[in-house]
Amino acid sequence: MAVPGRKPKPYIAAVREGTFRPDRNKEGVRFPPVDPVEPRWADILPGPDPEVLRARKTAAELWGRLVPVLTYSAGLVDTQRETVTDYCVTWAWITMGNRALAREGVVIDGDRGKVRNPWCTVLSQQRQHFRSLTGELGLTPASAQRIAAPQPDDDDDDIFD
């Protein structure tokens, strides 16, 4: 169940920004600083269909552009890779749907005459999901303002060193 009010700021973001307060922020979970490993796209998008092969390529290209940037700018670690994987797959679905709509049209012939192409519904849902993931990853100008870059620390008592 959703909790009303503002989303709590992640602990590390509050520390980086100097706004940490013990009464408002909790440390939460600390993940080991391991770079994300690219998933096997054939496992996530299986099948020999040319559209699926193209979707795998689209997802892999987006991963290659996005993960190095997020690792550097937002401190993305391997434990959090599923969110980025979902982002890449969602984008692959959107591009696949856009191509299908360009080929077939928004209105197609159905059993009872002209109907709306099912890809319209799929694209609407995928775009909504894409927007939520974009905000979660800090990839819009507004959400990027909320993310502070990780600062290298010289803390020798870190458990992940």
Side-chain angles (χ1 to χ4, degrees):
M1 177 175 234
V3 178
R6 285 178 85 177
K7 260 187 181 178
K9 185 178 288 193
Y11 164 78
I12 193 69
V15 170
R16 284 183 200 137
E17 296 167 7
T19 59
F20 176 78
R21 286 181 46 182
D23 60 327
R24 291 191 181 170
N25 305 104
K26 295 179 183 161
E27 183 169 346
V29 178
R30 292 183 64 196
F31 297 113
V34 178
D35 287 345
V37 177
E38 185 171 2
R40 292 192 59 226
W41 297 110
D43 292 344
I44 297 170
L45 298 165
D49 183 72
E51 278 296 316
V52 174
L53 297 175
R54 195 169 182 175
R56 280 188 217 152
K57 182 179 176 188
T58 301
E61 287 173 355
L62 182 58
W63 178 279
R65 285 193 327 262
L66 192 61
V67 168
V69 172
L70 287 176
T71 302
Y72 175 76
S73 65
L76 183 74
V77 296
D78 189 57
T79 314
Q80 301 160 325
R81 75 178 172 168
E82 283 73 18
T83 304
V84 181
T85 301
D86 198 21
Y87 183 84
C88 294
V89 170
T90 302
W91 179 249
W93 272 97
I94 289 171
T95 57
M96 185 189 303
N98 285 333
R99 284 192 301 274
L101 280 179
R103 275 192 316 272
E104 302 164 11
V106 176
V107 178
I108 60 173
D109 291 322
D111 293 342
R112 298 180 183 177
K114 301 282 185 184
V115 296
R116 183 177 174 194
N117 192 324
W119 271 109
C120 293
T121 304
V122 172
L123 280 173
S124 176
Q125 293 168 347
Q126 292 296 319
R127 285 187 177 118
Q128 184 177 359
H129 185 59
F130 186 77
R131 278 190 301 272
S132 71
L133 289 172
T134 300
E136 188 74 24
L137 294 169
L139 297 174
T140 64
S143 63
Q145 295 294 321
R146 296 189 311 253
I147 296 178
Q151 300 296 321
D153 59 358
D154 297 326
D155 192 9
D156 291 332
D157 63 351
D158 188 5
I159 62 171
F160 298 121
D161 283 342

